[in-house]
Amino acid sequence: MEAERDKTLWKIAKKRVAFKRHVSSYLVVNAFLWALWYFNSTYQSHYSGLPWPAWVTLGWGTALAFSYYDAYHARHDAAAAREYEKLTRKKNS
């Protein structure tokens, strides 16, 4: 049982580290895109509408939110373990 718990904790730890790397990439890339847009738009005086980096920021931000949920709030393993225990008790009774 202890070895199984260690595997679960290791899996959660890996998801959290992956999320933190995802955040770092998100911040660096989006800062670059917004800077690129800003310095490019200073030469264009006829700008109107939503800046194009907003689409990247919103889309990637949505994926980042799902990654956050999966790393810190998802309890899929716990639900599967409860269901397994329930089926085992039902089979043995």
Side-chain angles (χ1 to χ4, degrees):
M1 187 72 165
E2 186 65 26
E4 188 64 35
R5 287 185 186 267
D6 288 344
K7 287 180 185 178
T8 302
L9 290 178
W10 182 250
K11 186 176 178 182
I12 292 170
K14 286 172 52 175
K15 284 183 180 184
R16 290 184 179 183
V17 168
F19 170 73
K20 291 174 185 177
R21 289 181 181 157
H22 193 177
V23 169
S24 298
S25 299
Y26 175 80
L27 293 174
V28 169
V29 170
N30 276 286
F32 173 75
L33 292 176
W34 280 99
L36 185 68
W37 171 80
Y38 175 76
F39 291 117
N40 191 29
S41 67
T42 58
Y43 300 113
Q44 300 172 359
S45 61
H46 61 280
Y47 172 75
S48 65
L50 191 64
W52 62 265
W55 296 108
V56 176
T57 301
L58 292 172
W60 195 350
T62 301
L64 192 63
F66 282 109
S67 181
Y68 170 78
Y69 179 79
D70 187 42
Y72 288 95
H73 297 290
R75 300 288 181 236
H76 302 294
D77 293 337
R82 284 193 307 270
E83 188 64 26
Y84 178 79
E85 291 296 325
K86 180 179 155 185
L87 290 171
T88 304
R89 282 193 307 270
K90 186 176 181 179
K91 178 183 174 187
N92 292 337
S93 60

